[in-house]
Amino acid sequence: MTITPPALSVFETLESEVRSYCRGWPAVFDRAQGARLTDEDGHSYLDFFAGAGSLNYGHNNPVLKRALIDYIERDGITHGLDMATTAKRAFLETFQNVILRPRDLPYKVMFPGPTGTNAVESALKLARKVKGRESVVSFTNAFHGMSLGSLAVTGNAFKRAGAGIPLVHGTPMPFDNYFDGTVPDFLWFERLLEDQGSGLNKPAAVIVETIQGEGGINVARPEWLRALRELCDRQDMLLIVDDIQMGCGRTGGFFSFEEAGVVPDIVTLSKSISGYGMPMALCLFKPELDIWEPGEHNGTFRGNNPAFVTAAAALDAYWADGQMEKQTMARGEQVEQTLLAICAEEPTAQFRGRGLVWGMEFQDPARASAVCARAFELGLLLETSGPQSEVVKLLPPLTVTTEELDEGLRTLARCVRETA
């Protein structure tokens, strides 16, 4: 397929230079359904990006769309602040019955605002309030959001530089396998905690992604996460798991930490929790941490009731019977086998991932960008990740069919060959 770049005059003349995704995908998209988008010229694209993980159930999922249309047509509440509404009650009851109780998770639920960084900011604020300490430990190559508190615990130098001011009260530590297995887990971290001369202030909490998405699809081993949980317990620190991109089934289980068998003190969710791509975020925490004063943390758009409707519908449709996790793991095996075959023919590449999040890393970072550019020309949307954009990131909808997945993987293999 040959795609002629569209006229982008109004985007280029009026919209800020800060725009990014559109530069790699020079098309004007008009419609979307399932795992496919269509531009205004009628070209179809297979979406292996899924709204950066906010569309786990695909574009315009018919089950969720029906629930949303019915709610709007009956003049259901749209903007609710933190008022009690029927839509919020339905979501909370469904979330408790379908997600929390079956996993024996006792969390309270906070609606911190519409985005992932809102959830992280509230988690950091609560941890500091509970422990009475300022410092929070994060990990190398972490990404937790673009507001100042979230940036302070983010590793990417380019994104941190955009803050324009010093980012304080965050301390980075090595993520799993940062030293390629040559240093025992947490040796440096625990030594600093116990050394009165280290200069490390006692942290209130540790924040971690079980799989670093923006950082390059870096997968933490279950035993590493369990050791981190034990370290937090020994040193009186709260464990925060940022599940904004890897939660809601992306890695298989609803929460990405389930495989490791750990129970975080605080969990942040956003992206696909609404199910339909609408802004919604949650901060979950153990009941004994709920020491907020009324109104101490709030936000105008934390009561997006249409998102509550689609979120409840998604939980009912995909998580009540356990089939989504099995399907995701089966699709993941399909991806793994294909990547294994591609890397067998491409010695400069290696891959890693779990469930339906995978990354293919190239020694030459420019190669990853070239693969993604060629993929767009062939009608496949892929993005890069990693500190040097050296990783091709695969993030298809969880509802992708085996045929669509095979099509996308064949296109990926072709792109790797053609950019060699």
Side-chain angles (χ1 to χ4, degrees):
M1 152 171 92
T2 301
I3 298 174
T4 303
L8 299 171
S9 57
V10 70
F11 304 108
E12 294 172 343
T13 60
L14 189 60
E15 191 178 0
S16 166
E17 292 298 318
V18 78
R19 65 194 189 279
S20 60
Y21 295 121
C22 59
R23 297 180 188 276
W25 301 329
V28 179
F29 297 104
D30 182 48
R31 292 173 289 117
Q33 211 288 313
R36 296 187 184 275
L37 294 91
T38 305
D39 69 19
E40 61 183 4
D41 294 324
H43 299 119
S44 177
Y45 302 81
L46 188 55
D47 185 4
F48 271 30
F49 185 60
S54 62
L55 293 165
N56 281 4
Y57 312 107
H59 296 269
N60 287 303
N61 182 289
V63 176
L64 312 189
K65 179 166 64 174
R66 185 71 264 160
L68 178 60
I69 290 172
D70 289 346
Y71 182 76
I72 292 172
E73 286 186 338
R74 73 168 185 81
D75 292 331
I77 298 292
T78 296
H79 181 274
L81 294 166
D82 67 357
M83 295 183 292
T85 66
T86 55
K88 182 194 280 189
R89 179 174 59 202
F91 167 73
L92 286 170
E93 290 175 348
T94 304
F95 190 67
Q96 183 177 49
N97 294 331
V98 175
I99 301 300
L100 296 181
R101 279 181 179 159
R103 293 162 178 80
D104 197 26
L105 295 173
Y107 296 134
K108 297 290 289 290
V109 179
M110 175 183 178
F111 298 95
T115 73
T117 199
N118 293 126
V120 170
E121 295 283 358
S122 65
L124 299 176
K125 185 188 290 189
L126 179 60
R128 289 168 170 140
K129 179 179 173 66
V130 168
K131 292 299 183 182
R133 308 179 205 132
E134 296 175 351
S135 178
V136 173
V137 166
S138 58
F139 290 95
T140 50
N141 291 312
F143 178 79
H144 296 290
M146 297 298 284
S147 51
L148 293 181
S150 301
L151 275 179
V153 291
T154 287
N156 186 282
F158 174 72
K159 292 179 172 65
R160 289 175 63 89
I165 61 171
L167 297 172
V168 296
H169 309 308
T171 303
M173 290 292 166
F175 190 70
D176 190 15
N177 204 38
Y178 188 72
F179 293 108
D180 299 318
T182 61
V183 177
D185 295 339
F186 307 115
L187 175 66
W188 173 243
F189 189 1
E190 195 148 25
R191 183 73 59 84
L192 289 179
L193 288 169
E194 294 176 350
D195 183 358
Q196 297 301 306
S198 71
L200 175 65
N201 294 332
K202 182 79 172 184
V206 173
I207 185 167
V208 67
E209 303 155 276
T210 65
I211 300 178
Q212 296 179 327
E214 297 303 310
I217 317 301
N218 305 312
V219 182
R221 293 166 297 144
E223 56 266 33
W224 187 86
L225 292 169
R226 287 192 288 269
L228 178 60
R229 171 73 274 182
E230 293 167 2
L231 174 61
C232 288
D233 290 339
R234 286 197 305 273
Q235 297 290 345
D236 186 34
M237 303 179 297
L238 298 178
L239 176 61
I240 305 169
V241 168
D242 181 341
D243 234 6
I244 288 165
Q245 187 168 86
M246 298 303 157
C248 301
R250 176 54 57 181
T251 67
F254 185 84
F255 295 106
S256 70
F257 54 81
E258 291 181 47
E259 182 190 41
V262 300
V263 178
D265 300 296
I266 304 175
V267 181
T268 59
L269 287 175
S270 186
K271 289 195 182 286
S272 276
I273 187 60
S274 81
Y276 205 73
M278 289 189 289
M280 179 179 170
L282 303 177
C283 185
L284 313 176
F285 40 81
K286 293 180 177 178
E288 61 269 24
L289 305 182
D290 193 9
I291 62 171
W292 292 113
E293 296 291 333
E296 190 174 7
H297 186 93
N298 56 23
T300 302
F301 291 102
R302 66 194 186 280
N304 184 0
N305 279 248
F308 298 159
V309 171
T310 53
L315 297 180
D316 273 332
Y318 294 103
W319 292 99
D321 61 4
Q323 291 305 305
M324 176 56 76
E325 180 174 353
K326 294 177 182 177
Q327 176 178 299
T328 298
M329 299 309 293
R331 301 283 194 273
E333 291 178 8
Q334 184 179 349
V335 176
E336 184 175 13
Q337 291 305 309
T338 300
L339 295 183
L340 187 65
I342 293 174
C343 289
E345 298 180 2
E346 178 51 71
T348 68
Q350 56 182 335
F351 70 93
R352 52 188 175 264
R354 195 170 91 226
L356 274 176
V357 52
W358 293 85
M360 179 177 288
E361 180 179 357
F362 291 90
Q363 292 177 4
D364 178 8
R367 181 79 178 283
S369 297
V371 168
C372 291
R374 181 57 178 147
F376 173 77
E377 293 174 352
L378 297 174
L380 175 66
L381 301 185
L382 292 171
E383 251 297 326
T384 60
S385 69
Q388 297 179 295
S389 298
E390 73 277 18
V391 177
V392 174
K393 184 178 183 180
L394 281 69
L395 211 68
L398 305 185
T399 52
V400 67
T401 66
T402 54
E403 293 78 16
E404 289 168 333
L405 194 55
D406 182 63
E407 176 188 340
L409 293 171
R410 281 189 280 107
T411 301
L412 172 63
R414 176 181 172 183
C415 294
V416 172
R417 288 194 303 270
E418 293 183 357
T419 56

